[in-house]
Amino acid sequence: MISVLGAGAFGTAVAVSLARNGGSVQLWAHDPAHVEALRQARENVLRLPGVPLPDNVEPIERLDDVPPEAVILLAVPMQTLRHLLQDNAEHFLARTLVACCKGMDLKTHVGPVQTISDCVPTAMPAILTGPSFAADIAHGLPTALTLACRDERVGKALQQSLTTPNLRIYRTTDTIGAELGGALKNVIAIACGVVIGARLGDSARAALMTRGYAEMQRMALRLGAKPETLAGLSGFGDLALTCTSEGSRNFRFGLSLGQGEPFDTDVTVEGAATARAALARARELGIEMPITGAVTALLDGQVDVRQAMDMLLSRPLKDE
């Protein structure tokens, strides 16, 4: 049994993909009205329209209905993860909890794996991350993800249970690299969206991606990540996808900023909070992260797009 907590687009897509393996899958949402809509329509009309829920996907609204043996996937936004864990801690004791969100907590400046460990010390934390769009997964298109778990035995079991006909899962024990790669690339995606929205060109985007990758490595390696993790799916792979496709919410958000247009406030943009959290953490560690700083200043209205670009272009010349 697999229980997916969070019936947004990604949680629904993963539930649909896992159900194709033939086992029972639960899909939990905190809003009873949303759960009832899923039951009636057998489709997530709000977040993932046009994708039928297989018969073996059961929408639920009570965490009491999650059986003790179930693997739990936490497909909720990063900024709500801590509240979910703290408010329902009794349901998560000594469980295997797999985070499916990407970001850094705005208050604590840590990622989802550390958040799970902080809130539920008896749980076994893991993270499922990498270059993936919900629609691709839901429609059965081939997708490769990274499963990171410190316990190699648990990681191998999760790799087997979460692999589906269209989801290929690679495994690592480097949870730090996996969670930071997924979090920090969203900040760079916002910056790349701004560049394209402001018509600064593909050459500028390529430069931002390259120097943004250097920033990602700078923080992740300082915190104990392995360089090969950042060079893999959860780092470079996810960076390539989110910085080059309008399927990325973070890229679309940056695109709107660069064009000076409003953005749909109902759409979750994890990179905005992560930029602020990452910059605060970088200052604590004494790490230079100029692109993250420029994105944060832009988000906070301290600079406009041209000034943000000038901040980066006027930095002292240095070796690559």
Side-chain angles (χ1 to χ4, degrees), residues 241-258:
L241 180 67
T242 54
C243 291
T244 59
S245 172
E246 291 191 31
S248 163
R249 291 169 295 181
N250 292 279
F251 180 81
R252 291 201 312 274
F253 175 67
L255 202 65
S256 295
L257 283 177

Side-chain angles (χ1 to χ4, degrees), residues 73-126:
L73 272 58
L74 301 168
V76 298
M78 181 64 221
Q79 303 309 318
T80 65
L81 178 61
R82 179 171 294 271
H83 298 294
L84 174 66
L85 295 171
Q86 290 178 333
D87 294 346
N88 303 279
E90 70 277 10
H91 295 287
F92 302 126
L93 300 176
R95 305 291 290 264
T96 297
L97 304 178
V98 183
C100 297
C101 48
K102 302 172 183 178
M104 296 176 71
D105 187 278
L106 194 51
K107 293 183 179 179
T108 63
H109 310 156
V110 300
V113 174
Q114 188 60 51
T115 298
I116 293 171
S117 296
D118 290 345
C119 296
V120 192
T122 61
M124 173 58 66

Side-chain angles (χ1 to χ4, degrees), residues 23 53 72 126 132 141 147 149 178 240 246 303:
L53 295 181
I72 297 176
S132 54
L141 300 179
L147 185 284
C149 181
E246 291 191 31
V303 297

Side-chain angles (χ1 to χ4, degrees), residues 28 73 79 94 112 123 138 145 178 182 198 214 223 228 236 242 262 267 287 289 292:
W28 172 89
L73 272 58
Q79 303 309 318
L145 298 173
L223 291 172
E228 57 265 32
F236 177 77
T242 54
V267 175
I287 299 173
M289 298 186 73
T292 302

Side-chain angles (χ1 to χ4, degrees), residues 22-267:
S24 298
V25 180
Q26 294 176 321
L27 181 60
W28 172 89
H30 69 88
D31 183 359
H34 187 27
V35 174
E36 186 58 28
L38 292 170
R39 289 173 179 154
Q40 294 297 324
R42 297 304 302 173
E43 177 184 326
N44 192 337
V45 177
L46 184 63
R47 298 298 184 191
L48 197 65
V51 178
L53 295 181
D55 292 340
N56 53 332
V57 172
E58 177 194 5
I60 62 172
E61 61 188 77
R62 287 164 28 92
L63 290 176
D64 288 335
D65 293 334
V66 176
E69 72 278 7
V71 172
I72 297 176
L73 272 58
L74 301 168
V76 298
M78 181 64 221
Q79 303 309 318
T80 65
L81 178 61
R82 179 171 294 271
H83 298 294
L84 174 66
L85 295 171
Q86 290 178 333
D87 294 346
N88 303 279
E90 70 277 10
H91 295 287
F92 302 126
L93 300 176
R95 305 291 290 264
T96 297
L97 304 178
V98 183
C100 297
C101 48
K102 302 172 183 178
M104 296 176 71
D105 187 278
L106 194 51
K107 293 183 179 179
T108 63
H109 310 156
V110 300
V113 174
Q114 188 60 51
T115 298
I116 293 171
S117 296
D118 290 345
C119 296
V120 192
T122 61
M124 173 58 66
I127 184 169
L128 185 66
T129 184
S132 54
F133 289 149
D136 291 348
I137 294 173
H139 287 104
L141 300 179
T143 303
L145 298 173
T146 295
L147 185 284
C149 181
R150 296 185 189 113
D151 187 300
E152 191 167 1
R153 180 185 60 82
V154 174
K156 287 181 178 179
L158 288 171
Q159 183 181 34
Q160 292 297 320
S161 62
L162 299 179
T163 294
T164 76
N166 70 299
L167 279 183
R168 180 173 177 82
I169 307 297
Y170 289 82
R171 181 175 50 83
T172 180
T173 57
D174 182 12
T175 57
I176 296 173
E179 67 177 356
L180 284 175
L184 297 175
K185 59 87 188 178
N186 281 336
V187 181
I188 310 305
I190 292 175
C192 288
V194 170
V195 160
I196 298 303
R199 298 177 180 269
L200 298 178
D202 287 327
S203 297
R205 170 165 54 183
L208 272 179
M209 289 176 65
T210 306
R211 297 313 304 162
Y213 183 61
E215 281 194 22
M216 290 166 58
Q217 287 185 309
R218 203 173 298 139
M219 172 170 278
L221 298 182
R222 174 71 175 275
L223 291 172
K226 298 176 181 178
E228 57 265 32
T229 307
L230 273 294
L233 291 165
S234 59
F236 177 77
D238 216 352
L239 180 73
L241 180 67
T242 54
C243 291
T244 59
S245 172
E246 291 191 31
S248 163
R249 291 169 295 181
N250 292 279
F251 180 81
R252 291 201 312 274
F253 175 67
L255 202 65
S256 295
L257 283 177
Q259 294 168 341
E261 297 177 352
F263 190 76
D264 186 354
T265 56
D266 289 336
V267 175

